Amino acid sequence: MGRSILIVEDEKEIRDLLAHYLRREGFSPTVAPDGETGWEKARTEKPELILLDILLPGMDGLELLRKIRTAPATSRIPVVMLTAKGDETDRIVGLELGADDYIPKPFSPREVVARIKAVIRRTVPAPGEAEKEEYVYGDLRMDVPRHEVLLRGKPVPLTPKEFRILQALLSSAGRVLSRETILARVWGEGTHVTDRTVDVHIAKIRQKIPFLADAIRTVKDVGYQIPER
Ligand code: CA
């Protein structure tokens, strides 16, 4: 069976067209006509990628994207947004919320398939490959099972929360992580900890690993990002 792709799109014609092309390319598409159904399927079916329209009745695409990115069960699923032509704001908000790519409407189904393949190549580990156990970032090495961070071979004393924040940043290198996402991944959903806590922990990480002080970029009003290397 091919890789499963969830298509969340309220316009039946577009939905059917995309499903048809994806099937032809060997994918296993599954569809949702609205945000609520999309959320249900994302959580229960855990597709390998989600194709998400922004303009949806009820819960819109951006709201759904926010949910997907904050729930630990779905936060790592790549999302490609479908946006109305020329709507710059939606595009920017989508990328800030952690969309992996966006495709302006109208689009050709071929283009969509090509973009999906590119995102999958970039983000989905090969079948059988476990979650990464080690991250190397310049002179920094993170050994996940041993809960150890080494800077040029010397251990850096990080608290468990600092460790997990750094792990979240490294595992999503190149992508902006909102404070909400960091809170959900590190503290769990429904936490009463405030956004400010994330800032405090980031400050501590920057202090303990000066090499990361500049590398960890503050994205105004959104969160943090560590660039790909
Ligand atoms: Ca729509």
Side-chain angles (χ1 to χ4, degrees):
M1 213 176 80
R3 293 177 183 275
S4 60
I5 310 280
L6 171 60
I7 305 166
V8 188
E9 164 67 82
D10 56 323
E11 284 162 78
K12 189 175 183 306
E13 259 176 49
I14 298 182
R15 211 164 59 218
D16 290 349
L17 184 72
L18 288 171
H20 168 77
Y21 268 85
L22 285 170
R23 214 171 283 121
R24 230 178 52 174
E25 293 287 328
F27 293 98
S28 300
T30 160
V31 295
D34 56 62
E36 282 74 14
T37 314
W39 173 232
E40 193 54 37
K41 291 202 167 183
R43 270 189 322 121
T44 55
E45 297 177 8
K46 296 200 186 70
E48 292 206 46
L49 182 140
I50 300 170
L51 205 49
L52 179 57
D53 184 30
I54 288 193
L55 279 178
L56 294 169
M59 188 199 312
D60 73 14
L62 291 176
E63 207 182 322
L64 177 53
L65 175 62
R66 196 188 295 268
K67 278 180 104 106
I68 289 169
R69 281 291 168 261
T70 38
T74 53
S75 65
R76 285 162 204 271
I77 301 175
V79 175
V80 174
M81 307 290 296
L82 302 174
T83 68
K85 191 170 174 245
D87 203 333
E88 189 79 354
T89 316
D90 279 355
R91 184 173 71 79
I92 292 171
V93 173
L95 291 175
E96 282 174 348
L97 287 175
D100 294 272
D101 201 357
Y102 70 92
I103 303 168
K105 284 180 175 179
F107 48 74
S108 79
R110 273 169 185 240
E111 187 194 357
V112 176
V113 170
R115 298 270 197 115
I116 286 176
K117 285 183 175 171
V119 169
I120 286 181
R121 264 199 306 276
R122 214 166 68 211
T123 55
V124 177
E129 191 182 314
E131 188 171 40
K132 262 181 113 168
E133 297 201 330
E134 185 190 69
Y135 294 94
V136 177
Y137 198 84
D139 290 338
L140 191 82
R141 203 173 71 83
M142 171 178 271
D143 184 327
V144 179
R146 298 178 66 150
H147 240 264
E148 197 173 60
V149 172
L150 299 171
L151 183 62
R152 284 183 288 271
K154 285 197 181 138
V156 182
L158 294 183
T159 65
K161 294 280 189 255
E162 289 161 5
F163 184 91
R164 292 185 59 195
I165 291 176
L166 185 57
Q167 185 188 0
L169 286 168
L170 291 173
S171 69
S172 305
R175 181 191 272 180
V176 179
L177 288 186
S178 67
R179 290 182 178 81
E180 269 179 334
T181 303
I182 296 174
L183 281 175
R185 281 208 203 162
V186 177
W187 277 266
E189 264 181 297
T191 175
H192 295 290
V193 173
T194 64
D195 287 7
R196 173 83 188 115
T197 313
V198 175
D199 300 341
V200 171
H201 280 78
I202 295 269
K204 283 270 199 297
I205 295 172
R206 283 173 165 157
Q207 216 173 52
K208 289 181 180 178
I209 314 173
F211 151 72
L212 290 181
D214 293 328
I216 299 175
R217 207 163 67 80
T218 306
V219 182
K220 199 173 172 293
D221 299 330
V222 183
Y224 296 95
Q225 179 197 38
I226 200 160
E228 279 179 293
R229 284 179 75 109

